[in-house]
Amino acid sequence: MKCVAVALALVAGFVGTDAALLRAGARQEPDTACGKGFDNLVKGSQDYYRTAAVELFTHPSHTMDNATFEAEFECWFASMCTTKCGGLASQADARKATLTEMCQSVEADWLKIWKLFSPDEVKWFKNSYPSDEVEGSEEGSEVHYKQAMETAKEVSKKELLCMTLFTIDDECVKWPYIRLTK
């Protein structure tokens, strides 16, 4: 009986050693889809996001989406801040009043917001938003890298697009709060 216990202890020791060696050699590249991460943003940027999350989620059907998809929206916001919004120029002077009105309206849908994007902003958004379709997905049952990000985009598309444009127009978070026209 003692021999069996000793043999099992030796086998367990070897298996544990192999697993530790395997983990040590299999370093994974860090996931940079969320930029440097929301928690690593400066307090002013985090404050900006918090005010945007309150001001932009005003539709009665979407008031709690900012909490439901908090991690996903924080991820996208952190990515925008980390990449400095792709170097896109603010268009606040040309669209801030319209953007504010549409984003806080319960009647304007996401497509009206999408039409406010410039061609460069459309290209940047499509290339930067972290939810690419995984190759090999079957028609009708697509799977996306960061599926939760895709779900957040589809459920709260208007709010996500509004947050994107306000972030760009506020010079990629130059102020500690979202700047709406009143």
Side-chain angles (χ1 to χ4, degrees):
M1 190 62 135
K2 288 182 183 181
C3 291
V4 172
V6 170
L8 285 174
L10 285 173
V11 168
F14 288 126
V15 170
T17 303
D18 289 342
L21 288 173
L22 182 60
R23 282 191 303 272
R27 300 247 182 237
Q28 191 174 8
E29 291 294 318
D31 183 2
T32 58
C34 300
K36 60 183 178 180
F38 186 81
D39 292 338
N40 293 321
L41 295 176
V42 297
K43 184 179 180 328
S45 294
Q46 291 179 8
D47 291 345
Y48 180 97
Y49 171 81
R50 297 284 177 236
T51 64
V54 170
E55 295 290 342
L56 299 178
F57 287 81
T58 57
H59 190 283
S61 298
H62 295 278
T63 55
M64 294 305 296
D65 288 359
N66 59 354
T68 303
F69 297 110
E70 181 177 41
E72 289 75 25
F73 291 125
E74 285 179 351
C75 173
W76 174 235
F77 182 77
S79 176
M80 288 192 291
C81 290
T82 302
T83 64
K84 304 209 182 318
C85 298
L88 295 164
S90 171
Q91 295 184 38
D93 293 339
R95 69 178 170 208
K96 185 68 81 148
T98 303
L99 185 61
T100 299
E101 182 181 336
M102 287 181 159
C103 288
Q104 293 191 319
S105 167
V106 295
E107 294 178 15
D109 65 1
W110 71 268
L111 193 53
K112 290 179 181 173
I113 308 302
W114 186 244
K115 289 178 180 178
L116 295 175
F117 276 66
S118 72
D120 286 340
E121 290 166 339
V122 168
K123 181 179 177 185
W124 174 76
F125 181 82
K126 287 182 175 184
N127 289 332
S128 300
Y129 190 78
S131 72
D132 295 333
E133 189 175 330
V134 174
E135 288 185 33
S137 296
E138 292 182 25
E139 184 73 31
S141 62
E142 292 82 10
V143 176
H144 291 82
Y145 165 72
K146 294 217 176 272
Q147 186 67 45
M149 295 292 290
E150 181 66 15
T151 302
K153 181 179 80 174
E154 291 305 314
V155 171
S156 298
K157 191 175 289 188
K158 176 186 172 185
E159 291 77 9
L160 176 71
L161 296 176
C162 286
M163 182 172 63
T164 301
L165 287 184
F166 270 105
T167 302
I168 293 168
D169 287 350
D170 286 340
E171 298 177 42
C172 211
V173 192
K174 190 174 179 180
W175 293 270
Y177 55 88
I178 190 170
R179 293 175 40 218
L180 304 167
T181 57
K182 296 282 179 176

